[in-house]
Amino acid sequence: MLTTSTQSIPMRSGLNWPAPLENLGDIKVVLFDLDGTLHDDPRITDFYARVLEEKMVDGTGLGLQDEVADVIQGRHPAAQPGSFVEPSRGIAISAPHWVAEKAVDWMGNPVSLVDDGLLGPIQHDGALRYLGDQWQIIGALAARRGVDVHMLRDAFVRARRFGNDPSTTLIRSEYLDEVLHRLSQGRRFLLATNTTEELARPLVDRLRLQPPFEIIRFDARKPAGCAELISHAREQWNIAPSEILVIGDNLWNDLLPPAELGCRTVHIDPLGTDRAARWSSARFDNFAAFAAALKELPDEC
């Protein structure tokens, strides 16, 4: 997803967090991400990549969709899901503990980070772009080919309007109502998306998400905005961070700030960005697997 956050969120390292999700008994608030979590339609991101490929001049967009597929399927020589890239230099950076450790050029050859100021803790407002979901992968690869922010935004808007068009058949998970019902018993529901209300409201309405969602935050400016929304919920309802469960597909945008605050987190991780589940309370390959596990999770301490 696109993000407009300009706030740096330093991440502590070497901590054993967040706490595992062993039951739902002490959860009072559930905060969901939208795209890639409650709704996942590859036709929309495919449309986004296709528009960008077609709009680039002098053939610079040729092969963008194939390159995106290579990244997603782990065939790219440099960029991998869960890594960072610096588009202007065309380098990919490994930061397994959110600290830039080593880098390679676009062909996979090692390059130095010593003289460019990229070594050290990754910052949310820095030059590096996280490859945490398909939107981010497409945007970063297009930026490496010279696409500016205005073209990215235009393609994003067109893709969202394509998904919102009534002629585009809605893909709605068969497990969505089941998950919402399972979690809703005595709990407040929040929804946060970085997409503007103009572009995201039609999807929310088509998915029939209001109710049960008490607060829907459009243009949420995650990751910084995610922490802000959690702070608001804590103050308004007098709850502890450990009583908040955050569910999202993008580790960097959706889950690390809440985990840093002490919330429980569930990572829907189809791209395999954190297969060892080091940075979440629970990790699942897809929404269906989460729904199945949720049936077995006790609802009492």
Side-chain angles (χ1 to χ4, degrees):
M1 290 297 296
L2 300 181
T3 178
T4 57
S5 172
T6 58
Q7 179 175 338
S8 173
I9 302 178
M11 298 303 304
R12 295 179 292 173
S13 60
L15 296 183
N16 183 23
W17 55 263
L21 184 65
E22 298 174 338
N23 63 74
L24 299 172
D26 55 355
I27 300 298
K28 297 180 180 178
V29 172
V30 184
L31 169 59
F32 283 94
D33 168 57
L34 179 61
D35 291 283
T37 305
L38 293 181
H39 180 254
D40 190 11
D41 185 346
R43 298 173 303 171
I44 300 176
T45 46
D46 288 348
F47 187 95
Y48 179 48
R50 185 166 66 251
V51 168
L52 287 168
E53 182 170 311
E54 293 171 353
K55 286 175 67 71
M56 290 187 221
V57 298
D58 300 327
T60 55
L62 187 64
L64 173 63
Q65 296 177 82
D66 291 337
E67 188 176 33
V68 169
D70 285 343
V71 173
I72 291 172
Q73 296 170 21
R75 299 191 303 256
H76 197 279
Q80 303 291 324
S83 66
F84 292 83
V85 299
E86 211 289 30
S88 64
R89 285 188 57 191
I91 61 174
I93 294 175
S94 173
H97 298 283
W98 315 110
V99 176
E101 296 180 357
K102 58 183 180 180
V104 296
D105 64 20
W106 218 241
M107 298 306 297
N109 302 306
V111 296
S112 174
L113 290 174
V114 173
D115 299 323
D116 56 14
L118 296 178
L119 270 178
I122 305 291
Q123 300 295 325
H124 279 285
D125 61 348
L128 301 183
R129 302 179 67 148
Y130 181 59
L131 305 186
D133 59 34
Q134 292 198 41
W135 294 98
Q136 290 180 330
I137 291 171
I138 295 166
L141 297 190
R144 192 194 71 82
R145 294 164 177 255
V147 171
D148 62 24
V149 293
H150 302 292
M151 189 179 294
L152 286 172
R153 180 63 186 173
D154 177 70
F156 177 79
V157 169
R158 289 179 59 183
R160 296 308 302 234
R161 288 176 175 167
F162 164 75
N164 292 337
D165 193 316
S167 66
T168 302
T169 305
L170 177 69
I171 294 179
R172 190 179 192 274
S173 171
E174 60 181 302
Y175 304 101
L176 180 56
D177 291 333
E178 177 184 311
V179 166
L180 296 181
H181 177 75
R182 176 72 177 87
L183 287 171
S184 65
Q185 309 304 310
R187 300 182 181 93
R188 299 178 184 274
F189 273 13
L190 311 180
L191 180 65
T193 173
N194 280 353
T195 305
T196 63
E197 182 168 7
E198 175 191 3
L199 296 173
R201 172 67 73 179
L203 176 59
V204 169
D205 292 342
R206 295 184 77 189
L207 291 172
R208 304 189 301 276
L209 295 180
Q210 191 174 10
F213 285 88
E214 187 168 337
I215 295 177
I216 298 178
R217 181 69 58 85
F218 300 101
D219 198 14
R221 299 180 297 105
K222 295 185 289 185
C226 191
E228 293 166 4
L229 184 57
I230 289 170
S231 296
H232 173 76
R234 290 172 56 191
E235 294 171 3
Q236 183 172 352
W237 297 315
N238 190 30
I239 57 176
S242 61
E243 297 173 315
I244 300 174
L245 175 64
V246 183
I247 304 169
D249 70 302
N250 191 305
L251 194 61
W252 188 248
N253 270 14
D254 300 330
L255 302 182
L256 289 183
E260 176 76 349
L261 293 172
C263 302
R264 309 291 176 87
T265 59
V266 168
H267 188 192
I268 310 298
D269 186 22
L271 296 182
T273 58
D274 184 31
R275 295 187 187 280
R278 297 173 302 160
W279 306 105
S280 55
S281 300
R283 175 201 170 273
F284 302 93
D285 288 336
N286 51 55
F287 196 74
F290 171 50
L294 199 56
K295 292 179 182 180
E296 308 302 323
L297 203 62
D299 205 350
E300 57 185 20
C301 298

